[in-house]
């Protein structure tokens, strides 16, 4: 789970300051070999939100957009540590 969370942050950092559609993020994770259910993805997103590493915003027609925050970037850059996230 820690590596999946790290992969999520790494994917988001490439779009910063932009956002990624949650469904697109799910497809990208699958392409990287992290095949997880929608419920598992939602669990990881909530975990990362609670750590103030990313935000999830709902837009028109139910589209959910995910954006990495400064603390999330610092985790990817290894300036900060989070025991629940592995960015290796």
């Amino acid at each position: 789970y820690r590596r999946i969370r790290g992969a999520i942050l790494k994917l988001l950092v490439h779009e910063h300051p932009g956002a990624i559609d949650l469904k697109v993020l799910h497809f990208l994770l699958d392409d990287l070999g992290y095949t997880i259910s929608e419920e598992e993805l939602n669990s990881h997103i909530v975990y990362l939100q609670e750590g103030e590493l990313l935000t999830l915003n709902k837009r028109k027609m139910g589209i959910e957009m995910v954006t990495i925050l400064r603390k999330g970037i610092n985790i990817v850059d290894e300036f900060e540590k989070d025991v629940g996230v592995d960015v290796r």
Side-chain angles (χ1 to χ4, degrees), residues 42 44-57:
N42 289 334
H44 291 303
I45 295 298
V46 168
Y47 179 92
L48 294 168
Q49 278 181 293
E50 289 173 345
E52 299 177 357
L53 304 177
L54 59 78
T55 61
L56 178 67
N57 297 305

Side-chain angles (χ1 to χ4, degrees), residues 26-88:
H26 199 183
F27 291 132
L28 291 171
L29 287 169
D30 192 53
D31 287 347
L32 292 173
Y34 297 110
T35 304
I36 59 174
S37 69
E38 190 173 320
E39 291 80 18
E40 289 174 303
L41 176 61
N42 289 334
S43 175
H44 291 303
I45 295 298
V46 168
Y47 179 92
L48 294 168
Q49 278 181 293
E50 289 173 345
E52 299 177 357
L53 304 177
L54 59 78
T55 61
L56 178 67
N57 297 305
K58 294 186 181 187
R59 296 196 178 160
K60 293 180 183 179
M61 300 181 352
I63 297 172
E64 295 177 300
M65 301 298 289
V66 186
T67 307
I68 194 166
L69 298 174
R70 182 178 67 202
K71 186 174 178 183
I73 295 170
N74 286 340
I75 296 291
V76 172
D77 290 341
E78 298 183 16
F79 296 136
E80 293 185 37
K81 300 278 186 215
D82 185 313
V83 295
V85 179
D86 182 353
V87 293
R88 290 182 278 148

Side-chain angles (χ1 to χ4, degrees), residues 8-17 20 68 72-73 76-77:
I8 290 169
L9 293 180
K10 284 181 179 181
L11 289 167
L12 292 172
V13 82
H14 290 290
E15 295 297 319
H16 185 266
I20 295 179
I68 194 166
I73 295 170
V76 172
D77 290 341

